[in-house]
Amino acid sequence: MGFGFRRGASLASLAGLLDTLTQRFGAIDALAGTQSMRPLVQSLGQARCLNVILVADAHLPGVTTLTQSAQSLQARGTGSVAEAVALLAAGPGAQLLGPRHISTDRQATAAIAIGTSL
């Protein structure tokens, strides 16, 4: 499960998304974020006993995503950070299970991809 979030996002924002997506899709094998997201994603991983996969921020530009956010394209070079992170963490040939989900406080997004690494 890949995350994207604003600077003001809290651990509760990410935890809420994890709970929502676990209810919808079943057990999550690992969490993923970029190196710049490491502290918050790692905190959630430790709290939930889940492995955390980190991807390089530099790999986000050009990743094709289902969602095309103009803000994300301008800031990070991809239509959805959460979707791009999920795809990168899942490995070559990964596929999204659907578009990103947005936290209730609108501070974070998450997406699930299946592939060789997850």
Side-chain angles (χ1 to χ4, degrees):
M1 182 166 104
F3 287 104
F5 51 85
R6 297 176 188 212
R7 284 191 185 114
S10 67
L11 188 58
S13 300
L14 275 63
L17 282 167
L18 176 57
D19 293 342
T20 296
L21 294 179
T22 298
Q23 288 174 359
R24 182 165 181 186
F25 295 105
I28 305 294
D29 294 337
L31 306 178
T34 64
Q35 290 287 344
S36 63
M37 299 175 191
R38 182 180 186 168
L40 197 55
V41 176
Q42 196 131 33
S43 291
L44 180 59
Q46 289 173 344
R48 299 291 180 94
C49 298
L50 290 168
N51 185 38
V52 174
I53 299 169
L54 298 173
V55 300
D57 291 80
H59 292 162
L60 293 177
V63 175
T64 302
T65 58
L66 298 174
T67 303
Q68 294 300 304
S69 162
Q71 183 179 9
S72 182
L73 281 165
Q74 182 179 7
R76 304 294 289 241
T78 187
S80 166
V81 172
E83 292 173 17
V85 166
L87 288 166
L88 289 167
Q95 294 182 340
L96 291 167
L97 294 184
R100 69 184 181 184
H101 292 260
I102 303 171
S103 63
T104 55
D105 63 5
R106 304 198 58 78
Q107 296 297 304
T109 59
I112 298 177
I114 54 172
T116 58
S117 296
L118 296 179

